[in-house]
Amino acid sequence: MTKVLLEVDSLTVRLGHADSAATLVEELSFSVAAGEILCIVGESGCGKTVTARSVIGLNRNEPGFHTSGKIMFDGRNLLTLDEPSMRRIRGARMSMIFQDPMSSLNPLHRIGTQIEESLAIHGDLGRRERRERTVELLSQVGIPDARARIDDYPHQFSGGMRQRAMIALALAGNPDLLIADEPTTALDVTTQKQILTLLERLRNDYGMAVIFITHDLGVVAEIADRVMVMYAGKCVESGTVREVFHAPQHPYTAGLLASIPALNRPKLPRLQSIRGAPPVLSEGRPEGCAFQPRCAHAFDACSTEPPMTSTGELDHLDRCWLLPAQKRHLANAMEVNA
Amino acid sequence: MISFLLARLVGAVVTLFFVSALAFFATAFAPGNPAAVLLGNMATPERVEAVTRQMGLDQPTGIRYMIWLRETLSGNLGTSNLSFKPVNDLLAAALPATLELALASLLVAVVIALPLGLLVAQHRDSWWSRPTSALVTLGISVPGFWVGLILIVTFSVWLKLLPSAGFVPLSRSVAGNVRSMILPVTTLAIYLIPSLVRFVRVAAIDVLRESYVDTARAKGVGPWAILLRHVAPNTLITTITYIGLQLGVLISGAIVVEVIFSIPGIGRLGMNAVLNRDYPVIQGVVLVAATGYVAVNLLIDIAYALIDPRVRTG
Ligand SMILES: Nc1ncnc2c1ncn2[C@@H]1O[C@H](COP(=O)(O)OP(=O)(O)OP(=O)(O)O)[C@@H](O)[C@H]1O
Ligand SMILES: [Mg+2]
């Protein structure tokens, strides 16, 4: 295996004061190897964004957030790192792009200025060199005629171009890890596809690891090396895309996959169609397995929380009380449905 | 950009036209005969009628408006019914004091309220943020003139440091002018600051939640640079609009302060004119106030275009 770049260990994020605090992310552990694309999937509100923001330290200064556990990046625990050191990591070693490219660029600053700002913070390039580098970055992400567009304002760019500019901005510091929080959700299908291709190409060219958050299992199938399925702030299953898609061990994963007509068809619907709704984390989590109320396979044991167990296959973990034989049945049933 | 400003300019002219019509008809239809007021209780009816004719008040309102409009457009605002001085001269004499008071107070208010609002927003969870906001809210509920009276008692009656009344024009003595304006400007600024701080705080908290602020944080920008480069300019856009809307508050506040500190400005001139039914002066004051209002809003539009590229190039 290649070198582990990021190792998250028992990450727990609470929001609010003392006894009224809600647990948004609980005991979450995962790792990302250098150059790897990890997809995080799960329904809305399951804590994907909170996880991503915790990794890059965006909610460490937000009122009411309490984060515990360990986030090891390059041998250092980011959770105990002081803010100035963390700032030297953000934008340089690790960067992030967001869901809505319409609002993630400052409307009052030129596109070029916003990229140059990052170059000025993290490098020692002079004014001219920064500008040259910015043109280079913009061309690299596929902005046509980058030299002429560098002084444009965000409102003069289309949604797809803004997301490209955001990627250029994220690349400015040559990061080892890019966190992309639903970067294609707000874009049309064609643009979506182009952005995915771009991210994959950048990963291949630079060996940059990517944490890609999405609702869309089609996207996962297309770009991920590994996938982590989250439910109610916890990881319920993780493994290589191949393992998880062909032999899902958790009824929730199986349900998500079953709601897709066929994975190799080009147009895939967004995931959903498991009956019921996930628990609202701010109102406290249910006893035992959080998926139990929606699970067709629930039995007595499910009233206590199942531990993460390995299937025996490399890195394939899941959190479910069903017996291995029953879990195998899940995969088969799904294939019959499909 | 040019067409945007031209459109605003046309709008400004139209606004002024309607305000002038309003100023004329409001006074024309007001009860009471200015000629009678002018002559006092002892005048005979014949004398009142003669003066009424002499002042042109016996003409139909429409015709009087046409005459008034023609004269106004040619820059002649008439003569005061009270002092018989040209309204133009009265306004010209009163304007500098008011302009100085209003602009200096606004400047002081913005220079204090903008950084304060931004800081309170950035540190909205620290121990001092809540007490500061509470103090600001308290400030909103204290009437402006009350602050003025406290200041007069403290600084001129007790400490005898500053004059409590009287205005020294800039042209006569710069030091004297500054001394005479410290208390009035402080009073008016204190009147403006609380609501401005509160507005800036709310606007800045909104901006701090914007996704582009996260982008700036995610690229490693420090908290001060985020506040100055990203939050402040975006907060300024909405704050400028708010200042434009608060202009009425500034004008009414200026009137009160002029009266408290006996500053011979537009506010006091208008106040006396209203008390004495001096219609030409009232009309002149309304026109000047409206022109100021329209001019400031035009300046605000220009400032908009300068700050926001979406207005400039959109
Ligand atoms: N700043 C915040 N204040 C209050 N609640 C929050 C905040 N951020 C997240 N939450 C709550 O935490 C939970 C997880 O939110 P999160 O944004 O991580 O979900 P998500 O998986 O990213 O969902 P989506 O797919 O809709 O983006 C939600 O219940 C949300 O309401
Ligand atoms: Mg999210």
Side-chain angles (χ1 to χ4, degrees):
Chain A
M1 250 207 83
T2 41
K3 166 177 158 272
V4 171
L5 178 68
L6 175 80
E7 176 132 39
V8 174
D9 184 20
S10 305
L11 176 70
T12 300
V13 183
R14 283 178 218 280
L15 176 66
H17 293 287
D19 34 308
S20 64
T23 306
L24 305 181
V25 171
E26 194 169 348
E27 297 285 317
L28 190 69
S29 301
F30 64 95
S31 64
V32 183
E36 177 182 61
I37 299 186
L38 169 75
C39 274
I40 303 181
V41 289
E43 281 165 296
S44 192
C46 71
K48 306 183 295 290
T49 298
V50 170
T51 304
R53 292 172 64 91
S54 303
V55 170
I56 198 168
L58 279 183
N59 50 21
R60 58 193 267 156
N61 298 323
E62 296 246 333
F65 275 90
H66 306 282
T67 310
S68 60
K70 261 198 216 161
I71 299 178
M72 299 302 294
F73 181 72
D74 220 24
R76 287 190 289 182
N77 183 1
L78 301 187
L79 287 184
T80 55
L81 209 58
D82 59 293
E83 187 60 21
S85 313
M86 194 63 209
R87 277 207 297 278
R88 281 194 289 278
I89 290 180
R90 285 192 205 116
R93 307 288 321 279
M94 186 192 285
S95 37
M96 180 160 177
I97 57 180
F98 302 89
Q99 173 170 348
D100 185 6
M102 294 301 176
S103 57
S104 51
L105 288 163
N106 190 329
L108 304 187
H109 294 180
R110 297 174 197 281
I111 298 279
T113 314
Q114 305 195 39
I115 298 175
E116 283 165 40
E117 187 180 19
S118 178
L119 291 171
I121 294 172
H122 298 295
D124 43 14
L125 298 179
R127 213 171 237 292
R128 287 195 96 91
E129 297 161 301
R130 287 206 293 269
R131 203 171 158 83
E132 282 311 305
R133 177 83 183 112
T134 302
V135 172
E136 207 176 290
L137 283 164
L138 285 174
S139 340
Q140 223 162 53
V141 297
I143 302 282
D145 203 4
R147 194 171 295 277
R149 303 306 295 267
I150 182 172
D151 287 327
D152 278 6
Y153 287 95
H155 74 272
Q156 294 164 306
F157 271 33
S158 69
M161 279 167 71
R162 282 187 221 188
Q163 201 58 298
R164 284 171 195 271
M166 271 302 289
I167 294 174
L169 172 54
L171 289 179
N174 263 323
D176 302 305
L177 176 65
L178 173 70
I179 302 172
D181 188 357
E182 304 193 36
T184 58
T185 308
L187 304 173
D188 65 81
V189 183
T190 329
T191 318
Q192 235 175 61
K193 188 106 184 131
Q194 292 167 351
I195 297 284
L196 289 182
T197 315
L198 171 66
L199 284 175
E200 242 185 326
R201 202 192 77 215
L202 293 170
R203 188 274 297 260
N204 295 338
D205 292 357
Y206 297 97
M208 168 182 78
V210 181
I211 296 179
F212 193 106
I213 295 174
T214 179
H215 279 131
D216 192 335
L217 284 177
V219 170
V220 178
E222 195 165 326
I223 68 161
D225 299 314
R226 283 196 311 127
V227 56
M228 171 166 79
V229 183
M230 282 183 73
Y231 189 81
K234 290 193 169 198
C235 169
V236 292
E237 181 158 4
S238 70
T240 62
V241 175
R242 211 188 137 68
E243 281 289 326
V244 173
F245 275 45
H246 290 282
Q249 301 293 299
H250 196 287
Y252 178 60
T253 315
L256 293 181
L257 289 165
S259 62
I260 298 179
L263 278 174
N264 49 7
R265 276 196 215 147
K267 255 190 134 181
L268 296 168
R270 294 280 168 75
L271 56 94
Q272 59 105 312
S273 88
I274 301 171
R275 69 191 161 91
V280 179
L281 290 177
S282 50
E283 290 166 9
R285 64 168 40 244
E287 285 279 298
C289 171
F291 185 59
Q292 182 201 353
R294 302 170 72 188
C295 185
H297 307 272
F299 64 112
D300 319 347
C302 301
S303 54
T304 53
E305 170 84 41
M308 275 306 248
T309 48
S310 170
T311 61
E313 292 295 336
L314 184 72
D315 265 356
H316 193 176
L317 301 170
D318 66 278
R319 189 189 288 282
C320 180
W321 283 120
L322 292 177
L323 298 170
Q326 294 172 299
K327 290 176 181 172
R328 265 200 298 284
H329 188 68
L330 284 177
N332 296 338
M334 196 192 73
E335 257 150 45
V336 173
N337 276 347
Chain B
M1 164 86 172
I2 299 292
S3 64
F4 164 81
L5 288 180
L6 268 180
R8 292 303 153 103
L9 203 62
V10 171
V13 170
V14 171
T15 308
L16 273 184
F17 176 78
F18 279 110
V19 170
S20 70
L22 201 67
F24 176 84
F25 286 108
T27 48
F29 290 126
N33 184 344
V37 176
L38 187 67
L39 294 171
N41 288 338
M42 309 304 281
T44 60
E46 294 77 33
R47 181 91 181 95
V48 171
E49 201 182 314
V51 174
T52 303
R53 205 173 309 124
Q54 189 191 330
M55 289 168 75
L57 292 174
D58 56 339
Q59 305 269 356
T61 316
I63 298 203
R64 276 167 55 203
Y65 176 63
M66 298 315 280
I67 296 172
W68 180 81
L69 194 62
R70 192 189 66 211
E71 291 298 312
T72 302
L73 283 178
S74 62
N76 173 15
L77 292 172
T79 352
S80 163
N81 290 346
L82 209 62
S83 62
F84 302 107
K85 287 184 185 153
V87 175
N88 281 347
D89 294 357
L90 290 172
L91 290 175
L95 198 55
T98 301
L99 276 183
E100 189 187 343
L101 175 66
L103 292 182
S105 309
L106 189 60
L107 191 71
V108 170
V110 169
V111 164
I112 291 176
L114 199 65
L116 194 59
L118 285 169
L119 277 179
V120 174
Q122 192 190 31
H123 298 276
R124 59 192 178 285
D125 306 299
S126 65
W127 59 270
W128 54 265
S129 173
R130 269 171 205 289
T132 310
S133 302
L135 208 67
V136 163
T137 310
L138 194 72
I140 291 176
S141 39
V142 171
F145 56 84
W146 188 77
V147 174
L149 294 178
I150 296 283
L151 288 177
I152 291 181
V153 168
T154 313
F155 288 97
S156 38
V157 180
W158 280 356
L159 302 173
K160 303 203 189 320
L161 284 178
L162 294 164
S164 70
F167 172 74
V168 182
L170 255 179
S171 51
R172 195 184 312 153
S173 152
V174 175
N177 173 267
V178 170
R179 258 173 67 81
S180 72
M181 287 306 265
I182 289 180
L183 287 184
V185 166
T186 309
T187 305
L188 189 49
I190 289 178
Y191 179 63
L192 298 173
I193 285 172
S195 69
L196 199 55
V197 171
R198 199 153 75 157
F199 183 88
V200 171
R201 177 179 167 275
V202 172
I205 287 178
D206 277 348
V207 171
L208 280 163
R209 292 206 184 100
E210 289 282 349
S211 190
Y212 54 78
V213 174
D214 278 338
T215 303
R217 286 199 190 104
K219 68 186 181 192
V221 184
W224 287 106
I226 286 185
L227 202 63
L228 291 178
R229 274 208 293 269
H230 296 273
V231 179
N234 280 286
T235 305
L236 204 56
I237 292 182
T238 38
T239 304
I240 285 176
T241 316
Y242 180 73
I243 291 174
L245 293 172
Q246 289 295 93
L247 226 57
V249 175
L250 177 64
I251 291 174
S252 61
I255 293 175
V256 173
V257 170
E258 281 177 10
V259 172
I260 294 179
F261 291 96
S262 318
I263 297 172
I266 296 284
R268 228 179 51 150
L269 183 70
M271 195 80 154
N272 287 334
V274 168
L275 293 178
N276 293 302
R277 292 221 175 82
D278 192 350
Y279 290 148
V281 175
I282 296 178
Q283 288 160 351
V285 166
V286 169
L287 267 187
V288 166
T291 310
Y293 200 94
V294 166
V296 169
N297 275 296
L298 210 59
L299 284 178
I300 283 174
D301 286 334
I302 293 174
Y304 250 160
L306 288 180
I307 299 178
D308 194 339
R310 286 164 296 188
V311 174
R312 215 181 317 141
T313 55

